[in-house]
């Protein structure tokens, strides 16, 4: 797996149960944050897995099914906008990662995160750009991203005026204009500066 072979650099990695964890939606001003954790088999290979941001939506959806099918264990956690406002985006991400690891049906012996250090009693490696170095982190990023996008499609039906199906909660020009026209809905993160300014 090109550029996703960090696990191979770990001493005795074949004897370890390695989980990767990552989030999606931290930079959005609306909608929940999603965090996933994944444990892939040691010998699992799939050259299409990559950082979810570098994949098309169609490829992410296809890989989501592949990862769910082949993972030894996986979990997905949803953190609502109200909790992101309460804890701040960084802390909400770390809380989500901890919960995702705790929800795994298999306890890992090593956790690799996309940089964040989390409060767990398991050895962890916090990789800068982990989703482009570790196949387990990349897989987690795909599960989190696909889960979040699916949620935003649901919210688009509930709040059609914000066009969440197009902007996925990011602060695009049209989303900002909708905020001006209609104010915030319960899915908006009111602690975010761009939402505060409009409100």
């Amino acid at each position: 797996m090109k550029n996703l072979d960090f696990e191979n650099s770990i001493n005795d990695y074949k004897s370890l149960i390695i989980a990767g964890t990552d989030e999606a939606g931290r930079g959005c001003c609306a909608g929940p944050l999603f965090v996933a954790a994944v444990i892939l088999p040691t010998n699992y290979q799939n050259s299409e897995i990559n950082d979810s941001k570098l994949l098309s939506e169609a490829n992410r959806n296809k890989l989501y099914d592949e990862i769910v099918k082949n993972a030894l264990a996986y979990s997905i956690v949803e953190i609502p906008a109200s909790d992101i406002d309460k804890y701040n985006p960084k802390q909400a991400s770390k809380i989500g990662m901890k919960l995702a690891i705790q929800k795994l049906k298999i306890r890992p012996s090593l956790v690799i995160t996309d940089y964040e250090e989390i409060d767990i009693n398991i050895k962890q490696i916090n990789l800068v750009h982990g989703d482009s170095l570790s196949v387990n982190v990349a897989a987690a990023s795909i599960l989190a991203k696909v889960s979040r996008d699916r949620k935003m499609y649901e919210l688009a039906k509930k709040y059609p005026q914000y066009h969440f199906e197009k902007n996925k909660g990011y602060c695009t020009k049209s989303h900002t204009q909708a905020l001006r026209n209609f104010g915030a809905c319960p899915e908006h993160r009111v602690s975010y500066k761009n939402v505060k300014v409009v409100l």
Side-chain angles (χ1 to χ4, degrees):
M1 285 163 284
K2 188 177 181 182
N3 298 327
L4 286 167
D5 58 356
F6 177 80
E7 282 82 349
N8 292 314
S9 70
I10 300 170
N11 289 335
D12 300 321
Y13 88 97
K14 288 187 177 181
S15 66
L16 299 173
I17 299 173
I18 301 175
T21 183
D22 199 6
E23 53 77 23
R26 192 156 90 173
C28 305
C29 66
L33 175 78
F34 275 79
V35 183
V38 177
I39 300 174
L40 291 171
T42 301
N43 60 351
Y44 181 76
Q45 293 189 9
N46 187 329
S47 60
E48 295 184 25
I49 291 179
N50 204 341
D51 172 4
S52 63
K53 295 184 291 295
L54 303 178
L55 300 169
S56 69
E57 184 171 8
N59 280 340
R60 285 195 300 265
N61 284 321
K62 181 181 75 171
L63 287 167
Y64 179 100
D65 293 336
E66 283 291 311
I67 293 163
V68 166
K69 178 182 174 182
N70 289 282
L72 298 177
Y74 73 92
S75 67
I76 300 168
V77 171
E78 179 180 347
I79 306 292
S82 57
D83 282 357
I84 299 167
D85 285 331
K86 180 179 178 180
Y87 296 112
N88 79 47
K90 184 179 181 69
Q91 287 302 316
S93 296
K94 294 167 78 168
I95 290 168
M97 288 180 177
K98 180 178 180 178
L99 289 173
I101 294 298
Q102 290 175 337
K103 283 182 64 179
L104 289 169
K105 66 180 183 181
I106 299 173
R107 180 179 169 86
S109 50
L110 174 66
V111 172
I112 304 175
T113 76
D114 189 20
Y115 188 64
E116 297 293 358
E117 182 177 354
I118 52 179
D119 179 24
I120 52 174
N121 293 319
I122 303 172
K123 183 179 179 183
Q124 60 186 290
I125 297 173
N126 314 118
L127 280 182
V128 177
H129 303 306
D131 48 9
S132 60
L133 296 171
S134 159
V135 67
N136 284 287
V137 177
S141 79
I142 291 168
L143 295 196
K145 173 63 174 167
V146 170
S147 298
R148 186 177 193 281
D149 284 355
R150 290 174 180 175
K151 179 69 174 185
M152 295 312 293
Y153 285 127
E154 290 178 19
L155 293 177
K157 295 175 183 177
K158 189 174 182 180
Y159 305 104
Q161 66 271 38
Y162 300 106
H163 302 290
F164 289 143
E165 76 282 2
K166 294 180 180 178
N167 58 55
K168 304 296 192 298
Y170 284 94
C171 198
T172 62
K173 186 179 291 186
S174 63
H175 187 184
T176 300
Q177 188 58 51
L179 269 170
R180 291 194 182 103
N181 293 342
F182 305 106
C185 76
E187 294 296 332
H188 280 100
R189 304 174 186 178
V190 295
S191 62
Y192 277 42
K193 183 178 180 181
N194 49 353
V195 177
K196 281 183 176 180
V197 167
V198 174
L199 297 178

